[in-house]
Amino acid sequence: VITKVKARQILDSRGIPTVEVDLHTNKGVFRASVPSGDSSGMYEAVELRDGDKGVYLGNGVAKAVKNINDKISEALVGMDPTLQSQIDQAMIDLDKTEKKGELGANAILAVSIAACKAGAAEKEACFSQVPLYRHIADLYGKVSPMLPVPAFTVISGGKHAGNNLAIQEIMILPTGANRFVEALQMGTETYHHLKAVITEKYGTHDCNVGESGGFAPNEAIRRAGYTDKIQIALDVAATNFCIGTRYDLDFKSPQKSGQNFLSAEDMVELYRELCNDFPIVSIEDPFDKEDWEHIKRFSSTGICQVVGDDLLMSNVKRIERAILEYACNALLLKINQVGTVTEVIEVVKQAKEAHWGVVTSHRCGETIDSFIADLSVGLSVGQIKAGAPCRGERLEKYIQVSFLFLMLMELVHFCGLLQILTC
Ligand code: PGA
Ligand code: ZN
C-alpha cells in the first residue's frame, strides 16, 4: 500500500521549476518528475505555477508541491498502487475542475507516474518484479509490447533555436533498422556526420543552418551509408508563423523582406515538393492549429503521415473531431497535456481505434525521468520523439528503450518502416 507521498520542486532541462515526487510503499520509494513545454494551449491540462514574479520569474511550483504533500497525500495513503485508475480518479475527484487547474496537472501527473512505477513493483510475478512497461501494457488491456522507432531531432529551428529556420524540428527516423539498438546507432552516427556536413558547408556557426542548411540531413544520411534506411520527419509547428491566412517563413529574420509569405495552398505545394525531393515520411503541424480546412486537404493527399500536436493538444475532444473530419492520421502524445496515466491510456486507445499512428513525445523542458520510454513500449505506440541523440535528459529515454530491447530481445517486436507507412 501507499504509505507516504512527498514532493519537491526541482529544475527542468531549461532551468525552470517543475515537480518531483517520491511515493513510498511497502516495496520501496518510487520517484517521478514531470516535463513542461513551450507550446501550451487552452485545451490542455493546466500546469500550476505560483505566479510570484519575484521567485523564479513567476514559474515556481510551490503550490503544486504543497497540494501533493497535503491534499493528494492524504487522499492516497492506504491505497493499493496497482489500482491505477482508482488512484487517478481519486485525484481527479479531489481537483474537481475540468482541466486539473485546482491541484495542478503537474502535481497530479507526477503522482500518477510514481504510482504506476510503484504498481509495477507491487505485482509479483515468478518471484521477481513486473517491469514497468509490462505493467503499463496490462493497464491498457490486450496489447503486445513493441519497441518504437525513434525520431531523432537533428536540426532545430522555429521557437526552439536562434537561427532563421521556420520549421521547428527536422528529425531522422532509422526505419530501415532491424532492431532498436541498431536504430540508435544509425541515428547517432548520422547525427555526427551531420555536424561535419554543416561545418564544412556553412561554417561552424549552427545559426547559419536556418538560412540554407535545413536539408543537410540528406547529405549526412548518405555519408553515414544509410540511404534508404533512414527517413526524415518534420515538425513544422506552423501555428508559430501563421499570420492571418498566410505563413511567414521569415518570421524569425530580423530584416523581414516580406517576400517569404506563403498562402496555405503554397504550403501544400511546398510540402509536396519537399516530400518529392527528400525521403520525408511524416509532417507534424503543417498548418496553423485552427486551420482545419488545409490540414484536412493536405491529409487527404496521402503523401505522408500527418501528425497533430498543437492541432490536438492531446485533448480527447480535439482528437475526436480530427478523427471524424480526417484531419490527420497520427497523434503526438504529450503526457503532461493529459494529466494522468489512466487518461493517457484512454487517449492512445482512441487514436489506435481510429487506426492512427501514435508518437510519444518529450517536451522541451525535460527531466531525467524515462517514463515515456516504458510507456511507448508498453502501449505499443510505434514511434517515440525524444530529441537528439545527445544530452542526458533526452538520452535517458532512448537508453531505457535500448535496455528494454536487451532485456527482452525475443519478446518485443520493433516497429519498422511498415507500421509507420501504414499508420
Ligand atoms: P514543446 O513542443 O516545445 O512545447 O515541448 C515540442 C513539439 O512541438 O513537439
Ligand atoms: Zn510539435
Side-chain angles (χ1 to χ4, degrees):
V1 296
I2 298 172
T3 54
K4 185 171 148 187
V5 190
K6 184 91 184 123
R8 69 189 73 87
Q9 174 172 294
I10 60 165
L11 297 176
D12 70 19
S13 55
R14 305 165 300 178
I16 295 177
T18 188
V19 179
E20 179 172 82
V21 67
D22 283 346
L23 186 138
H24 299 242
T25 72
N26 303 337
K27 298 272 182 203
V29 183
F30 302 90
R31 179 167 292 178
S33 51
V34 291
S36 166
D38 259 355
S39 56
S40 66
M42 59 186 293
Y43 296 94
E44 64 183 66
V46 174
E47 195 174 71
L48 188 62
R49 300 227 174 248
D50 301 336
D52 175 355
K53 293 280 177 225
V55 182
Y56 281 113
L57 293 89
N59 289 318
V61 291
K63 286 182 192 162
V65 165
K66 189 166 167 18
N67 287 340
I68 293 177
N69 292 342
D70 298 347
K71 296 181 189 153
I72 294 178
S73 174
E74 194 189 318
L76 300 194
V77 166
M79 286 184 85
D80 174 352
T82 62
L83 303 177
Q84 185 75 41
S85 63
Q86 291 184 20
I87 290 170
D88 291 341
Q89 195 57 50
M91 291 191 282
I92 290 167
D93 292 345
L94 198 60
D95 180 86
K96 294 193 191 77
T97 67
E98 201 193 325
K99 293 195 283 180
K100 305 180 177 70
E102 183 63 31
L103 297 174
N106 40 357
I108 293 175
L109 181 65
V111 176
S112 184
I113 293 172
C116 190
K117 293 178 181 178
E122 195 81 8
K123 285 187 189 165
E124 295 285 353
C126 304
F127 308 109
S128 65
Q129 283 183 3
V130 175
L132 180 56
Y133 87 88
R134 170 43 66 197
H135 176 51
I136 295 169
D138 292 346
L139 290 173
Y140 185 95
K142 236 173 164 268
V143 63
S144 324
M146 183 170 66
L147 294 164
V149 167
F152 299 109
T153 309
V154 289
I155 291 185
S156 297
K159 275 176 34 178
H160 285 178
N163 54 31
N164 288 342
L165 181 65
I167 292 174
Q168 186 167 284
E169 287 179 88
I170 300 175
M171 292 163 273
I172 52 171
L173 281 70
T175 50
N178 293 313
R179 307 175 309 162
F180 187 85
V181 284
E182 206 176 297
L184 182 58
Q185 183 186 333
M186 288 163 67
T188 310
E189 287 171 6
T190 306
Y191 175 73
H192 291 298
H193 277 284
L194 178 63
K195 276 191 175 171
V197 171
I198 290 172
T199 310
E200 281 168 32
K201 289 197 169 178
Y202 311 108
T204 47
H205 299 294
D206 280 5
C207 46
N208 288 341
V209 169
E211 283 149 26
S212 42
F215 288 93
N218 222 30
E219 168 71 8
I221 293 169
R222 195 184 58 72
R223 279 201 206 177
Y226 294 127
T227 304
D228 297 333
K229 288 189 170 176
I230 292 188
Q231 292 168 303
I232 294 175
L234 308 178
D235 178 7
V236 180
T239 303
N240 295 333
F241 56 92
C242 179
I243 319 274
T245 58
R246 296 191 303 164
Y247 292 86
D248 179 9
L249 291 177
D250 266 340
F251 84 108
K252 294 196 298 176
S253 168
Q255 57 277 67
K256 283 186 189 295
S257 61
Q259 304 281 304
N260 238 346
F261 272 111
L262 294 188
S263 68
E265 277 74 23
D266 296 337
M267 292 290 278
V268 173
E269 223 20 68
L270 174 68
Y271 296 137
R272 216 187 265 282
E273 279 168 26
L274 289 174
C275 289
N276 231 348
D277 296 346
F278 302 99
I280 294 173
V281 286
S282 180
I283 302 185
E284 182 179 326
D285 289 332
F287 299 94
D288 179 75
K289 64 181 188 315
E290 299 306 334
D291 191 351
W292 290 80
E293 183 196 333
H294 291 98
I295 192 161
K296 282 195 278 192
R297 196 175 304 168
F298 180 59
S299 289
S300 72
T301 63
I303 294 174
C304 64
Q305 173 178 265
V306 180
V307 184
D309 170 15
D310 295 338
L311 175 79
L312 305 171
M313 296 169 232
S314 303
N315 174 280
V316 178
K317 292 193 184 118
R318 302 275 294 189
I319 298 169
E320 199 173 272
R321 175 173 175 192
I323 291 170
L324 285 173
E325 299 187 18
Y326 298 99
C328 58
N329 53 24
L331 162 71
L332 193 89
L333 176 68
K334 289 171 165 170
I335 60 171
N336 72 316
Q337 290 185 333
V338 183
T340 63
V341 172
T342 305
E343 290 163 292
V344 164
I345 291 173
E346 290 309 316
V347 161
V348 171
K349 273 193 186 146
Q350 186 188 10
K352 284 188 171 209
E353 273 162 21
H355 305 288
W356 277 18
V358 179
V359 187
T360 315
S361 177
H362 67 154
R363 302 304 308 265
C364 57
E366 264 300 334
T367 74
I368 53 163
D369 197 317
S370 62
F371 181 74
I372 60 165
D374 285 83
L375 186 83
S376 303
V377 175
L379 299 184
S380 192
V381 297
Q383 301 169 60
I384 185 169
K385 154 175 151 174
C390 73
R391 296 179 56 163
E393 75 283 357
R394 316 290 148 183
L395 281 171
E396 274 304 314
K397 282 75 172 168
Y398 295 130
I399 299 293
Q400 175 64 8
V401 180
S402 304
F403 170 74
L404 294 180
F405 163 76
L406 294 171
M407 185 167 80
L408 302 153
M409 223 173 313
E410 69 288 10
L411 295 176
V412 183
H413 303 289
F414 177 63
C415 171
L417 174 65
L418 192 67
Q419 282 89 345
I420 287 199
L421 293 183
T422 53
C423 284

